Amino acid sequence: MTNANLSGLARALINEKWLTEAEAVALAQQAVSIGEGFVTQLISVKKFKPAVVAEFAAAQFGVPYFDLAALDHDVLPKGLLDTKLITRRRVMALYQRGNRLSIAVSDPTNMQAVDEVKFQTNLGVDIVVVEDDKLGKLIEQFSESSVSVLDNLGDEDINLEFTDDDALAKGDDAAGAEIDDAPIVRYLQKILLDAINAGVSDIHFEPFEKFYRIRYRLDGILYEVAQPPIAIKDKISSRIKVISKLDIAEKRVPQDGRMKLVLSKNRAIDFRVSSLPTLYGEKIVMRILDPASAQMGIDALGYDPDQREILLNAVQRPYGMVLVTGPTGSGKTVSLYTCLNILNKPGVNISTAEDPAEINLPGINQVNVNDKAGLNFSNALRAFLRQDPDIIMVGEIRDLETADIAIKAAQTGHMVLSTLHTNDAPTTLTRLMNMGVAPFNIASSVILITAQRLARRLCSCKQAKAIPREALLRAGFKEADLDGSWQPYHPVGCEICKNTGYKGRVGIYQVMPITDEMTRIIMKNGNAIDIADQARREGVRTLREAGLIKVRSGQTSLEEIEAVTNE
């Protein structure tokens, strides 16, 4: 190595008589041979103090000098720079503002590091000089934290069961080497186990240009739980796809699959897995399907005593149609499975058509619809009627053909349970009419409609809150309700609820039996307003009124009810 190959810092040291040219060349050669930076080798051999070298470099090249001891390491931007770049070029990202990134180096003339950072981040770069020993410790801590995310997890007592053979996992050697990475396997198992223990409903694995994040949906709200190194995003997605029976080579189209996590001999959790190609990789969402949720009993769902009695009387009738309505994520599936679990007895033949079957219940014949193969809801229903059924559950009534077959089944001695996407119970009947179902068919088959929402349940840390009388009346309370015998509560936050103020969810229901008077309204082509007026006269509570009962009992807050009911 000659003087021409020396860094600008080395030449500055020579010019200021800190080093001879021979010493500088020797130090540079030694640094290259052992894979160290020039400044690190300079301090090690010449015994210069790191602070002195940093101050010299900052003064010589007009670059700000910064003391890393004053830095809060938790605020460092994560995922911007690859770990290999950080360790190889001895550079650390300190702060990003807009399209500018401040980086810490001990050698401000290390233009290879600057160029690589610019290329990897597509950002403008501002250099800050720091002491080499402190930079080394920071890089070491960063590298350890990135590796410890994967390596230092401890072996969990978990067994992943494949629902098919392991052929995919043993495909070509390259794929196997990528996905049979033990740290990745342990990390994924840790993420899944933590989610199950926390009562999470969905796990989101999301790749972005500069970072990779994992979020949990808990009580209907998404929370970020981890930002693993962006370099492992492909390994995580490949691992999930293998155990979910998805094609790991196909990354251009969405895919759907399932997997099972065995926790013990008596408990296994199913996951519904969906992959979606995005700009920066595959986003994967895993829906956690815990069979225990269907077996917790109707009392745990949150039905008021009178609503529970009406619902149980309806589903235990020999024939008719019971419809559950509400938006996605409102708990319709759990309500239906809870009813099926009550009806699931040795003397009853139950068949379900779902897209897909979310919870496995022994003793119930469950069918996954497959539109590509020609097995849609209507075809599955036709097949059920040749299978001597007593009870039929249709995952969702989406079209007139499915609605017609389901109604005919209800009219010919079968109990039919299904779901629809409507805002409340009265609008469900007009939705069926808009599909093209004849009013007399609706009137002669539908016996009960229940609309529902899920509201977050207040944690035990809740506190009483004084709410103005006018606000309570505006929310829907009646004068008679404000008798001073109860008080509203509001969320506070503690360790148990992770400072959200809420822990778990409670159902809010509008249970509307179809009475003779409603039947007459339907036969006269009455609209949703007519049916709602009749329901009100018969004492059927709206969703808001049902939610206010939960507020009075202290189960949830008024703001939560106002958020989930749109009245």
Side-chain angles (χ1 to χ4, degrees), residues 95-110:
Y95 181 72
Q96 181 183 354
R97 174 177 287 172
N99 61 354
R100 303 292 300 180
L101 178 67
S102 294
I103 61 171
V105 293
S106 57
D107 182 353
T109 64
N110 184 0

Side-chain angles (χ1 to χ4, degrees), residues 75-268:
V75 303
L76 290 174
K78 297 179 178 62
L80 275 177
L81 302 182
D82 185 83
T83 307
K84 290 180 181 178
L85 170 60
I86 290 172
T87 53
R88 186 177 72 252
R89 296 300 183 192
R90 259 182 120 67
V91 58
M92 198 73 197
L94 292 182
Y95 181 72
Q96 181 183 354
R97 174 177 287 172
N99 61 354
R100 303 292 300 180
L101 178 67
S102 294
I103 61 171
V105 293
S106 57
D107 182 353
T109 64
N110 184 0
M111 298 315 297
Q112 286 179 312
V114 174
D115 290 341
E116 286 191 37
V117 170
K118 287 180 179 177
F119 179 78
Q120 191 171 110
T121 64
N122 200 27
L123 296 172
V125 173
D126 298 318
I127 297 174
V128 174
V129 174
V130 298
E131 295 163 44
D132 188 75
D133 58 339
K134 292 179 181 177
L135 177 62
K137 289 179 182 177
L138 183 59
I139 291 173
E140 187 178 343
Q141 289 173 6
F142 177 84
S143 302
E144 284 180 357
S145 66
S146 297
V147 173
S148 66
V149 157
L150 304 174
D151 287 335
N152 302 330
L153 291 171
D155 295 324
E156 308 288 352
D157 185 18
I158 304 176
N159 173 38
L160 284 173
E161 265 188 17
F162 301 120
T163 51
D164 198 358
D165 58 66
D166 297 357
L168 272 174
K170 298 173 183 174
D172 58 63
D173 292 339
E178 181 182 32
I179 43 201
D180 289 337
D181 191 336
I184 297 292
V185 173
R186 290 204 305 276
Y187 182 56
L188 181 58
Q189 290 179 350
K190 177 76 161 52
I191 290 292
L192 299 183
L193 189 66
D194 287 350
I196 293 167
N197 290 337
V200 169
S201 62
D202 301 86
I203 310 171
H204 292 239
F205 298 84
E206 300 172 309
F208 296 94
E209 184 179 12
K210 308 297 183 186
F211 64 97
Y212 183 58
R213 74 178 177 190
I214 298 173
R215 293 192 291 174
Y216 288 165
R217 186 176 292 280
L218 180 63
D219 297 336
I221 308 295
L222 278 170
Y223 299 96
E224 183 176 313
V225 294
Q227 274 199 23
I230 196 168
I232 72 170
K233 66 178 183 180
D234 291 332
K235 291 186 177 184
I236 288 182
S237 65
S238 293
R239 177 63 184 168
I240 294 173
K241 289 169 74 174
V242 163
I243 58 182
S244 306
K245 298 192 299 179
L246 302 180
D247 183 356
I248 62 172
E250 182 55 80
K251 299 182 179 181
R252 299 165 299 174
V253 297
Q255 298 185 67
D256 293 295
R258 294 179 71 94
M259 58 164 280
K260 178 176 288 187
L261 188 63
V262 178
L263 300 179
S264 66
K265 291 181 180 179
N266 301 319
R267 190 180 182 205

